[in-house]
Amino acid sequence: MKWLLLLGLVALSECLIYKVPLVRKKSLRQNLIEHGLLEDYLKTHSLNPASKYFKEAADTLATQPLENYMDMEYFGTIGIGTPPQEFTVIFDTGSSNLWVPSVYCSSPACSNHNRFNPQKSSTYRATSQKLAVAYGTGSMTGVLGYDTVQVAGIADTNQIFGLSEKEPGSFLYYSPFDGILGLAYPSIASSGATPVFDNMWNQGLLSQDLFSVYLSSNDQGGSVVMFGGIDSSYYTGNLNWVPLSSETYWQITVDSITMNGEVIACNGGCQAIVDTGTSLLSGPTNAIANIQRYIGASQNSYGQMTVSCAAINSLPNIVFTINGIQYPLPPSAYILQSQQGCTSGFQGMDIPTPAGELWILGDVFIRQYFTVFDRANNQVGLAPVA
């Protein structure tokens, strides 16, 4: 069961999101122009022979732009079929299946989203296999089919994906994205479906068996998933590599979580996953309650954990030590600002595993640290964003 998607968004959505229009991505070029970065970007992508992650041609790096929606969701546009039918999808490292709404679906959540029509694709191949995926904030059931998926400028042929028939509940109805593109390991893919990244790699469409992610802050543009390589212009210093503790989710071991040198959670180590599909930073309810007390958070009538906005200037960093390296989160990262005020970026949820309670390093963490998901070596690379 996939419980991880956009944790904490349920309570937020009740007070912030009622009916959300679909948001279409800007092109990468447009985002770069708006931020005065196009010239530097072009130089980086044509004059960077030193990076070991690039081969002779820089165009081996396939870049997928992402739309930043309220610093809570990051999604990009893909095409499925011939000719391509467009869908916005969450690029989710906490799940492994690709699925989109289809014309077979009569749920309200499908009625206001793009729906795939197999009859309009000359390359679609049907199967009799069923698919069911459950998330913390919604679920879907449907059928599996094969078609060409256009992602990051790559034509990923013969890709298995889900066509939803039912999407119960209200969350997916109000979501500004159509579907989910999972980027975790095949071992947790529902119905044994081959994930998009694995299919691209198996077809020889990528130069490196890895992908990397940059998530922008403060509703800014420029967020990307990069398939097959690493662009060093997105981070400072060196990448620190963390071995995976499980090849299911992108799961790692955290040594401790401290504030002012004092351990406030994860004493003696804990397990965590790096999940682009989770908005907040989640952990066991008792541990998170302790952190909420440290930062002065209190629950309001909507179920949100509110914090004084003035605390951003007075609270210390919360430091995650991972594989011996410290990764500080400043209060400007773990306190979320909006027109309605300030809320905590931490969310309590108990997720038991054989190795103990699981933490989820969601977008609150990833916005601070450029992340490389290295399938070849089963490790995660982290570096401060530039």
Side-chain angles (χ1 to χ4, degrees):
M1 178 177 179
K2 175 23 170 138
W3 59 86
L4 308 174
L5 178 68
L6 305 172
L7 279 170
L9 197 54
V10 176
L12 291 173
S13 66
E14 291 175 356
C15 61
L16 297 180
I17 304 174
Y18 294 94
K19 189 167 184 178
V20 183
L22 290 179
V23 179
R24 293 299 176 207
K25 69 177 179 64
K26 297 177 182 177
S27 70
L28 177 61
R29 177 176 290 272
Q30 183 178 352
N31 275 321
L32 292 171
I33 290 172
E34 289 178 2
H35 292 86
L37 299 174
L38 180 61
E39 184 177 357
D40 289 341
Y41 179 89
L42 294 175
K43 288 179 180 178
T44 300
H45 281 65
S46 59
L47 300 172
N48 190 15
S51 174
K52 67 179 180 180
Y53 293 101
F54 289 95
K55 293 192 176 181
E56 294 181 2
D59 60 4
T60 56
L61 179 59
T63 300
Q64 170 68 53
L66 300 180
E67 183 79 21
N68 178 350
Y69 181 76
M70 296 174 61
D71 279 0
M72 294 169 66
E73 301 167 358
Y74 296 82
F75 45 82
T77 300
I78 65 171
I80 303 178
T82 307
Q85 301 172 42
E86 284 196 346
F87 300 91
T88 52
V89 295
I90 296 281
F91 284 77
D92 178 23
T93 59
S95 68
S96 298
N97 289 86
L98 168 62
W99 68 266
V100 295
S102 78
V103 294
Y104 307 137
C105 179
S106 57
S107 300
C110 297
S111 65
N112 64 343
H113 287 88
N114 294 332
R115 294 187 289 178
F116 181 75
N117 188 342
Q119 293 184 342
K120 293 185 177 180
S121 173
S122 62
T123 47
Y124 178 76
R125 180 162 57 91
T127 79
S128 58
Q129 291 178 271
K130 297 292 185 179
L131 175 69
V133 186
Y135 303 94
T137 47
S139 63
M140 66 78 65
T141 57
V143 296
L144 288 166
Y146 290 86
D147 213 328
T148 298
V149 175
Q150 303 283 346
V151 55
I154 294 174
D156 172 26
T157 59
N158 202 38
Q159 174 63 54
I160 193 168
F161 70 105
L163 295 77
S164 74
E165 296 177 319
K166 293 181 181 179
E167 297 179 26
S170 61
F171 176 76
L172 290 173
Y173 176 85
Y174 292 119
S175 298
F177 54 87
D178 299 317
I180 309 290
L181 192 156
L183 291 169
Y185 277 73
S187 59
I188 62 169
S190 297
S191 300
T194 301
V196 167
F197 180 82
D198 291 79
N199 204 45
M200 290 195 296
W201 175 251
N202 292 340
Q203 293 182 58
L205 301 176
L206 302 172
S207 59
Q208 297 286 327
D209 192 8
L210 55 78
F211 61 94
S212 48
V213 173
Y214 164 75
L215 300 183
S216 65
S217 299
N218 303 319
D219 290 332
Q220 297 297 309
S223 301
V224 290
V225 178
M226 291 165 275
F227 293 98
I230 301 168
D231 186 339
S232 60
S233 68
Y234 283 96
Y235 64 88
T236 62
N238 297 317
L239 284 163
N240 296 308
W241 296 100
V242 185
L244 297 188
S245 54
S246 175
E247 296 165 22
T248 50
Y249 304 104
W250 290 91
Q251 185 171 325
I252 60 175
T253 299
V254 176
D255 303 333
S256 65
I257 301 173
T258 60
M259 177 185 281
N260 289 328
E262 177 187 351
V263 176
I264 60 172
C266 189
N267 191 7
C270 56
Q271 292 298 296
I273 67 170
V274 186
D275 185 6
T276 58
T278 294
S279 300
L280 305 181
L281 206 158
S282 175
T285 52
N286 288 339
I288 292 294
N290 193 39
I291 292 176
Q292 305 288 32
R293 286 193 293 271
Y294 272 98
I295 66 176
S298 59
Q299 187 169 315
N300 66 11
S301 58
Y302 293 106
Q304 294 176 281
M305 299 301 295
T306 62
V307 186
S308 168
C309 292
I312 294 175
N313 299 317
S314 59
L315 284 170
N317 294 342
I318 294 178
V319 179
F320 289 72
T321 300
I322 304 171
N323 203 30
I325 304 294
Q326 292 189 343
Y327 297 89
L329 279 187
S332 58
Y334 63 77
I335 296 177
L336 309 178
Q337 302 179 72
S338 71
Q339 293 180 344
Q340 289 76 25
C342 292
T343 56
S344 169
F346 291 94
Q347 169 95 9
M349 176 167 282
D350 293 319
I351 307 171
T353 72
E357 297 283 355
L358 197 63
W359 289 74
I360 304 169
L361 306 182
D363 298 342
V364 165
F365 182 88
I366 300 170
R367 276 194 290 270
Q368 301 299 305
Y369 295 99
F370 179 85
T371 307
V372 180
F373 299 85
D374 183 355
R375 283 289 299 276
N377 299 294
N378 298 313
Q379 60 185 359
V380 170
L382 298 169
V385 296

